[in-house]
């Protein structure tokens, strides 16, 4: 015999039933919040406006990898999509930052925008190299897929004492990726660095992307491979197992230890890098690489008053601030004419 319910909407021995729609909203809200710090996780869209050559399309995909895991790696774009479409989709998905590539008059531009109300920082890309170009220039390129499971550490250099608009630009870069709490962060999760360095003489920003690699000090390459691969090496041509370690010279296979890059780890990272021994921190560039010059700052999302370069009169501010979004949307027509 069935027992009567203890109340409306309740079951005996259970709490109230939560509607499926409410449950999905709660899960979506939790996905946008860092469970450790409680702060909102910044997410991004990397997309283009107007027609881009193939090299800039590859650069766009490289930038999406830089912003992983809190970006849409396979974001689909259509010609009929305008900026408002991305803003409308960004709200429900918790997207807070836009990186917009364009190519007006064959000059690559990259906009960093805060959704939905701005500001917007427009950079002219003076030089760039794709991640594939960086890998082809290296003897031993290193870019394991696992390093994109966590956001990069943003390192800023040369921005002190510049005042606005660089103060607000620094704030934008600092909040572009999730904040790191030194007391709770896991060292194994810190595998990438995004370096943004301002050159005061040339007035440009160098954009560099590195992978972080820890190597125990005083351990040969053969021993490292033996412990990392967990496989028995081929010892058929050796008389003793010690020959495997000393073959080709112990010192020649262990990389030089740089005292400045040597650290004592507060906790164990893996089998090789443990708190009981010192490890060398090595950075290897994985790309992309860019040299950018700040050419414009707007108060809104690709619109509004022009805050940089400094306007001469208030009338010119209004003229420059209007029509920015239309200019972006009309780049496709400009490219067709070229």
């Amino acid at each position: 015999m069935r027992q009567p319910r203890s109340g409306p909407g309740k079951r005996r021995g259970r709490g109230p039933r939560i509607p499926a729609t409410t449950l999905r909203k709660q899960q979506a809200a939790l996905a946008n919040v860092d469970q450790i710090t409680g702060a909102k996780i910044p997410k991004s869209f990397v997309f283009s406006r107007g027609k881009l050559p193939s090299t800039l399309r590859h650069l766009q995909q490289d930038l999406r990898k830089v912003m992983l895991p809190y970006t849409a790696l396979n974001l689909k774009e259509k010609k009929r999509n305008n900026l408002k479409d991305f803003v409308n989709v960004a709200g429900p998905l918790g997207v807070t930052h836009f990186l917009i590539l364009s190519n007006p008059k064959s000059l690559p531009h990259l906009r960093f925008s805060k959704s939905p109300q701005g500001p917007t920082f427009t950079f002219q890309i003076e030089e760039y190299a794709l991640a594939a170009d960086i890998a082809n220039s290296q003897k031993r390129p290193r870019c394991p897929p696992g390093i994109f499971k966590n956001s990069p550490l943003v390192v800023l250099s040369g921005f002190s004492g510049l005042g606005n608009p660089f103060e607000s630009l620094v704030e934008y870069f600092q909040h572009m990726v999730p904040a790191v709490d030194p007391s709770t962060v896991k060292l194994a999760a810190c595998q990438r660095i995004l370096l943004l360095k301002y050159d005061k003489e040339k007035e440009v920003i160098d954009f560099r992307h590195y992978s972080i690699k820890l190597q125990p000090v005083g351990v040969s390459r053969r021993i490292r491979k033996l412990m990392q691969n967990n496989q028995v090496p081929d010892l058929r041509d050796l008389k003793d197992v010690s020959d495997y370690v000393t073959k080709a010279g112990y010192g020649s296979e262990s990389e030089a230890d740089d005292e400045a890059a040597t650290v004592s780890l507060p906790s164990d990272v893996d089998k090789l890098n443990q708190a009981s021994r010192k490890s060398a921190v090595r950075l290897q560039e994985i790309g992309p690489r860019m040299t950018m010059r700040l050419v414009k700052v707007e108060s809104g999302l690709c619109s509004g008053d022009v805050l940089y370069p400094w306007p001469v009169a208030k009338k010119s501010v209004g003229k420059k601030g209007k029509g920015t979004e239309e200019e972006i949307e009309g780049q496709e027509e400009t490219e067709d004419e070229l």
Side-chain angles (χ1 to χ4, degrees):
M1 179 179 294
R2 297 183 178 179
Q3 298 292 334
R5 296 184 178 181
S6 57
K10 296 184 177 180
R11 293 183 179 182
R12 185 180 179 183
R14 302 180 182 178
R17 180 183 294 177
I18 302 176
T21 54
T22 304
L23 193 61
R24 285 195 294 268
K25 290 181 180 179
Q26 292 177 352
Q27 292 174 348
L30 289 174
N32 294 331
V33 177
D34 192 326
Q35 300 303 311
I36 297 177
T37 62
K40 185 177 180 181
I41 297 176
K43 298 181 179 181
S44 62
F45 275 163
V46 182
F47 57 95
S48 62
R49 306 307 302 142
K51 197 172 183 180
L52 297 183
S54 60
T55 53
L56 287 181
R57 287 289 179 186
H58 289 299
L59 179 61
Q60 173 181 280
Q61 197 65 16
D62 288 344
L63 289 174
R64 288 178 180 177
K65 288 185 178 181
V66 173
M67 301 304 297
L68 284 175
Y70 299 110
T71 192
L73 184 60
N74 299 316
L75 180 66
K76 295 183 178 180
E77 305 174 54
K78 297 181 180 179
K79 289 184 177 181
R80 63 174 179 268
N81 291 140
N82 54 37
L83 193 58
K84 292 182 180 179
D85 295 333
F86 291 98
V87 175
N88 294 335
V89 175
L93 297 178
V95 175
T96 55
H97 293 75
F98 288 166
L99 277 72
I100 309 172
L101 266 173
S102 60
N103 196 38
K105 299 180 180 179
S106 300
L107 293 174
H109 282 68
L110 177 61
R111 288 175 171 87
F112 293 87
S113 302
K114 185 74 167 61
S115 177
Q117 296 179 348
T120 300
F121 305 90
T122 302
F123 289 88
Q124 180 177 309
I125 303 176
E126 298 191 347
E127 296 178 345
Y128 69 93
L130 303 177
D133 300 329
I134 301 296
N136 292 333
S137 65
Q138 297 173 346
K139 185 177 180 180
R140 293 189 182 92
R142 179 184 180 272
C143 187
I147 66 175
F148 296 104
K149 292 182 180 179
N150 298 282
S151 299
L153 304 176
V154 176
V155 177
L156 304 175
S157 176
F159 289 93
S160 59
L162 296 178
N164 273 323
F166 292 97
E167 288 184 358
S168 55
L169 179 62
V170 167
E171 184 179 357
Y172 180 94
F173 287 147
Q174 289 175 337
H175 295 86
M176 191 170 57
V177 297
V180 175
D181 187 355
S183 60
T184 58
V185 65
K186 295 182 180 180
L187 294 180
C190 302
Q191 299 192 45
R192 291 188 292 141
I193 284 181
L194 174 58
L195 174 63
L196 296 164
K197 181 180 180 181
Y198 182 73
D199 190 330
K200 295 182 179 180
E201 294 182 358
K202 299 180 180 179
E203 297 184 344
V204 296
I205 295 178
D206 293 324
F207 181 106
R208 301 290 186 269
H209 187 212
Y210 300 94
S211 67
I212 304 175
K213 184 179 181 181
L214 294 176
Q215 291 182 355
V217 175
V219 179
S220 67
R221 186 179 300 164
R222 287 181 178 272
I223 297 300
R224 292 200 305 265
K225 288 186 177 181
L226 179 62
M227 297 184 67
Q228 291 172 348
N229 298 333
N230 294 324
Q231 295 179 355
V232 178
D234 187 2
L235 305 175
R236 289 177 297 178
D237 298 333
L238 304 178
K239 296 181 180 180
D240 191 86
V241 68
S242 61
D243 295 338
Y244 177 77
V245 179
T246 59
K247 185 179 179 181
Y250 179 85
S252 63
E253 291 196 354
S254 61
E255 299 180 17
D257 299 326
D258 186 358
E259 192 66 29
T262 301
V263 296
S264 297
L265 301 176
S267 60
D268 296 345
V269 177
D270 50 33
K271 294 180 180 179
L272 287 172
N273 299 282
Q274 299 180 354
S276 59
R277 60 167 65 101
K278 289 188 176 182
S279 297
V281 180
R282 306 190 183 279
L283 301 181
Q284 184 166 345
E285 189 173 2
I286 57 178
R289 176 193 298 184
M290 293 187 295
T291 300
M292 310 181 300
R293 185 182 301 276
L294 183 64
V295 294
K296 194 175 186 181
V297 178
E298 296 162 286
S299 61
L301 180 61
C302 297
S303 61
D305 294 340
V306 176
L307 307 179
Y308 179 86
W310 307 115
V312 178
K314 292 184 178 180
K315 293 183 179 180
S316 62
V317 174
K319 292 180 180 180
K320 291 183 179 179
K322 293 181 180 179
T324 308
E325 183 174 342
E326 288 78 0
E327 177 185 345
I328 297 174
E329 304 300 337
Q331 286 171 1
E332 188 173 337
E333 299 178 0
T334 305
E335 291 295 326
D336 293 338
E337 294 177 359
L338 294 175

